[in-house]
Amino acid sequence: MKKLMLAGTVSLILAGCGSDSDDQSTGKVSLAMSDAPVDGLKQVCVAFDNITVHHTGGSEASWGTTSFAADQSSASCVPDGLSIPEDANGNPEFMVIDLLDYQGSDALQVLSDEVLLAGNYTQMRLSVLENGTYSDGTPYSHVVTETDAVEDIRVPSGELKLDGFTVEADSTQAYTIEFDLRKSMVLNANGYQLKPRGVRVVDNTAVATIDGTVGASLCSSDLSNAFVYVYSLANGGQFEDLGSDNEPLTSAPIDPVTGQYEIGYLPLDTYDLNLVCNGNEDDPEQSGDMLIIDTTLLDQVLGTDGLTVNF
């Protein structure tokens, strides 16, 4: 049984306010995408051609590439000399994003000020192209490994079924789809699979960014495999590995040179943070790893740009 070395737990309270509305008039929604990184990959190119949302009243709304900021597709995801295929009207057939370009507090705007019926939406569905290739054979949705191998991405049923959200009447809401790739991108016998686990829809008005610095001495002077793990207070102090019943909400790598880390798009709540010195060994498809916790290394600092925590 492998061990995950953890040190330094600190509880953070991120709080804000919001409002609800039952008004059945319309509101506007903007949508962006961001990512928490994954181990062992240089690129994660996700191609998608439709976003659908389901209202509690039974109606649905959807957007295609004519509504997307398709000109913001990641050029690095398109093979040299080629372009995204177009339909009969000259519109791109999909938008493709390298999620690793948008980490921490960075995000890419995909939809802007789209009008929707006010009220609660139970589900958002993202249609991901798991089939189809460019003329040189590169899959539309693919990863590039650290050895420069290009592998396609499979998505169960071709859709990511995500959380619901709320649209308030006569106002504009901004949401971000946060891909926690250490949870959602897995490698198994079927290749690379992108799963909805760990993909969250967050309200931009009720999120925070946590950043900080970790001293290398806490991981025997080697931060190359170090991560900060973020746990919900609802875990009750049970700090377990990825794939377990009490897994972290999200995690972020620590820069091995500077010791810095950043965790973006965290819903306002109370969290526990832990330092994991060998997070590269944490398999998201396997639970039961032993966590060794040292709670004596705490130093909390409130920074001017948000909450900064230094271990």
Side-chain angles (χ1 to χ4, degrees), residues 45-48 96 128-130 132 139-143 151-153:
C45 296
V46 176
F48 55 96
V96 61
V128 179
L129 279 68
E130 59 172 339
Y140 294 151
S141 295
H142 64 273
V143 302
E151 305 285 348
D152 65 345
I153 297 173

Side-chain angles (χ1 to χ4, degrees), residues 237-278:
Q238 299 298 309
F239 308 131
E240 298 180 5
D241 63 314
L242 294 172
S244 69
D245 291 338
N246 294 294
E247 68 177 356
L249 173 68
T250 189
S251 60
I254 296 169
D255 187 290
V257 177
T258 66
Q260 296 177 333
Y261 67 89
E262 182 181 31
I263 305 164
Y265 297 98
L266 273 175
L268 299 178
D269 204 343
T270 302
Y271 300 100
D272 289 320
L273 269 64
N274 289 318
L275 169 63
V276 181
C277 291
N278 58 335

Side-chain angles (χ1 to χ4, degrees), residues 34-35 40 50 55 65 72 85 88 90 96 115 123 137 142 151 195 209 218 225 243 246 256 261 294:
S34 183
D35 157 57
N50 191 265
H55 194 277
T65 55
Q72 297 299 308
V96 61
V115 177
Q123 190 180 81
H142 64 273
E151 305 285 348
K195 298 183 177 182
T209 297
L218 300 183
N225 296 313
N246 294 294
Y261 67 89
D294 182 347

Side-chain angles (χ1 to χ4, degrees), residues 95-158:
M95 184 173 182
V96 61
I97 298 176
D98 181 1
L99 292 175
L100 297 188
D101 285 342
Y102 303 96
Q103 300 181 24
S105 59
D106 292 335
L108 176 65
Q109 195 79 21
V110 175
L111 295 172
S112 297
D113 295 339
E114 296 292 334
V115 177
L116 278 178
L117 182 68
N120 295 320
Y121 287 79
T122 59
Q123 190 180 81
M124 180 184 295
R125 303 195 304 274
L126 181 68
S127 175
V128 179
L129 279 68
E130 59 172 339
N131 297 311
T133 60
Y134 295 95
S135 59
D136 72 340
T138 301
Y140 294 151
S141 295
H142 64 273
V143 302
V144 178
T145 69
E146 289 183 333
T147 60
D148 292 324
V150 178
E151 305 285 348
D152 65 345
I153 297 173
R154 295 183 62 251
V155 178
S157 76

Side-chain angles (χ1 to χ4, degrees), residues 33-212:
M33 294 186 182
S34 183
D35 157 57
V38 66
D39 310 350
L41 297 176
K42 296 168 67 174
Q43 275 190 324
V44 177
C45 296
V46 176
F48 55 96
D49 61 358
N50 191 265
I51 298 174
T52 303
V53 295
H54 181 82
H55 194 277
T56 53
S59 64
E60 289 196 339
S62 64
W63 302 277
T65 55
T66 56
S67 299
F68 298 159
D71 60 340
Q72 297 299 308
S73 283
S74 299
S76 60
C77 291
V78 182
D80 290 342
L82 300 178
S83 59
I84 295 174
E86 296 180 345
D87 62 20
N89 296 317
N91 299 311
E93 293 185 356
F94 57 84
M95 184 173 182
V96 61
I97 298 176
D98 181 1
L99 292 175
L100 297 188
D101 285 342
Y102 303 96
Q103 300 181 24
S105 59
D106 292 335
L108 176 65
Q109 195 79 21
V110 175
L111 295 172
S112 297
D113 295 339
E114 296 292 334
V115 177
L116 278 178
L117 182 68
N120 295 320
Y121 287 79
T122 59
Q123 190 180 81
M124 180 184 295
R125 303 195 304 274
L126 181 68
S127 175
V128 179
L129 279 68
E130 59 172 339
N131 297 311
T133 60
Y134 295 95
S135 59
D136 72 340
T138 301
Y140 294 151
S141 295
H142 64 273
V143 302
V144 178
T145 69
E146 289 183 333
T147 60
D148 292 324
V150 178
E151 305 285 348
D152 65 345
I153 297 173
R154 295 183 62 251
V155 178
S157 76
E159 283 189 329
L160 290 178
K161 297 180 175 63
L162 310 177
D163 298 337
F165 60 99
T166 300
V167 175
E168 297 185 7
D170 304 319
S171 64
T172 298
Q173 290 82 54
Y175 290 93
T176 296
I177 299 177
E178 170 75 355
F179 290 81
D180 186 343
L181 292 179
R182 293 194 76 218
K183 288 185 179 181
S184 58
M185 180 64 72
V186 298
L187 176 61
N188 53 31
N190 296 314
Y192 285 94
Q193 288 189 312
L194 183 61
K195 298 183 177 182
R197 182 185 70 197
V199 183
R200 299 177 283 117
V201 178
V202 296
D203 182 350
N204 289 1
T205 64
V207 295
T209 297
I210 297 174
D211 56 52

